[in-house]
Amino acid sequence: MLIIGAGGHSLVVIEALRACGRPIAGLLDDAPGRESGAGPLLGCAILGATALLPRLRAEGVAEAVIAIGDNATRETLGARCEAAGFTLPPLIHPAALVSPSASLGAGSQVMARALLGPLARLGRLVLVNTGAIVEHECQLDDAAHLGPGAVLCGGVTLGRRALVAASAVVRPAVLIGADALVAPGAAVAGPVPDGACLGGVPARPIARAATAQGAPSGARAARGD
């Protein structure tokens, strides 16, 4: 398995893969200082930049996982990997609880102690982070992200590339729009429009700068932190 991204989230991905017994071919990262090779990271070699994708595929590496927290970057790199001929299998930590009626799209990740309830549906490249809860009949669209310890009550829809950050809670049957951002610890009781940014209890519109600890940006996003 090839890991794309060598920032903070890659540490979680490395240990999840090892817990699943999956061998790791190495990591690729385009961040300055890493694109020419570095490491190792938890004993895994950083091979260089994503320009190596075609060569590694030709050498027989067939699967990749996108270890990037930033939603748009994860979506873009997932498409690049598939265009280069890699498959993106779902990654489910053995310590996660996943209902047999839940479904996961290509490249989705469910981390340790997370829960997917009955009929929960994850799109492509969705990230359900450590200890998060996706209750029954929730739908998470492509490249959405549920932060550590966040809770989606039953029937919630999380739009494409939306982020519900750490320890936030969303009441049942609420629609969170595409590219929306819910700040850490927020309590969401009503629908959230596309691109909106909410925080607080109860959640209300806030500036995106106030959510910096819940949403990687700039150089941190490029590193996958």
Side-chain angles (χ1 to χ4, degrees), residues 61-88:
V61 181
E63 296 180 327
V65 57
I66 314 301
I68 302 287
D70 180 74
N71 294 342
T73 306
R74 188 170 65 257
E75 185 175 47
T76 297
L77 289 173
R80 282 189 61 192
C81 286
E82 289 183 317
F86 290 86
T87 59
L88 304 174

Side-chain angles (χ1 to χ4, degrees), residues 40-63:
L41 189 65
L42 290 182
C44 298
I46 301 177
L47 304 174
T50 56
L52 293 175
L53 283 169
R55 192 189 86 186
L56 291 167
R57 183 66 191 92
E59 292 174 353
V61 181
E63 296 180 327

Side-chain angles (χ1 to χ4, degrees), residues 94-117:
L97 298 176
V98 178
S99 166
S101 64
S103 62
L104 287 80
S108 290
Q109 302 169 30
V110 183
M111 294 307 176
R113 300 183 68 184
L115 180 144
L116 294 188

Side-chain angles (χ1 to χ4, degrees), residues 1-213:
M1 180 76 76
L2 181 66
I3 299 174
I4 311 300
H9 185 56
S10 70
L11 303 174
V12 183
V13 168
I14 288 169
E15 294 198 342
L17 288 170
R18 286 175 172 163
C20 293
R22 300 297 305 274
I24 297 170
L27 297 87
L28 299 181
D29 197 297
D30 292 334
R34 294 176 181 160
E35 76 282 1
S36 58
L41 189 65
L42 290 182
C44 298
I46 301 177
L47 304 174
T50 56
L52 293 175
L53 283 169
R55 192 189 86 186
L56 291 167
R57 183 66 191 92
E59 292 174 353
V61 181
E63 296 180 327
V65 57
I66 314 301
I68 302 287
D70 180 74
N71 294 342
T73 306
R74 188 170 65 257
E75 185 175 47
T76 297
L77 289 173
R80 282 189 61 192
C81 286
E82 289 183 317
F86 290 86
T87 59
L88 304 174
L91 173 59
I92 303 174
H93 194 288
L97 298 176
V98 178
S99 166
S101 64
S103 62
L104 287 80
S108 290
Q109 302 169 30
V110 183
M111 294 307 176
R113 300 183 68 184
L115 180 144
L116 294 188
L119 299 179
R121 292 181 293 168
L122 306 187
R124 294 167 42 80
L125 295 157
V126 170
L127 173 53
V128 178
N129 227 315
T130 308
I133 295 175
V134 179
E135 264 296 353
H136 59 89
E137 302 168 287
C138 287
Q139 176 173 323
L140 282 69
D141 292 341
D142 293 353
H145 183 174
L146 188 61
V151 178
L152 302 182
C153 295
V156 168
T157 297
L158 189 57
R160 184 175 181 178
R161 295 183 302 270
L163 167 64
V164 175
S167 298
V169 178
V170 182
R171 70 173 291 179
V174 164
L175 172 62
I176 308 289
D179 297 301
L181 195 162
V182 175
V188 180
V192 178
D194 291 355
C197 182
L198 276 70
V201 180
R204 60 195 182 280
I206 60 173
R208 281 193 175 250
T211 68
Q213 292 185 342

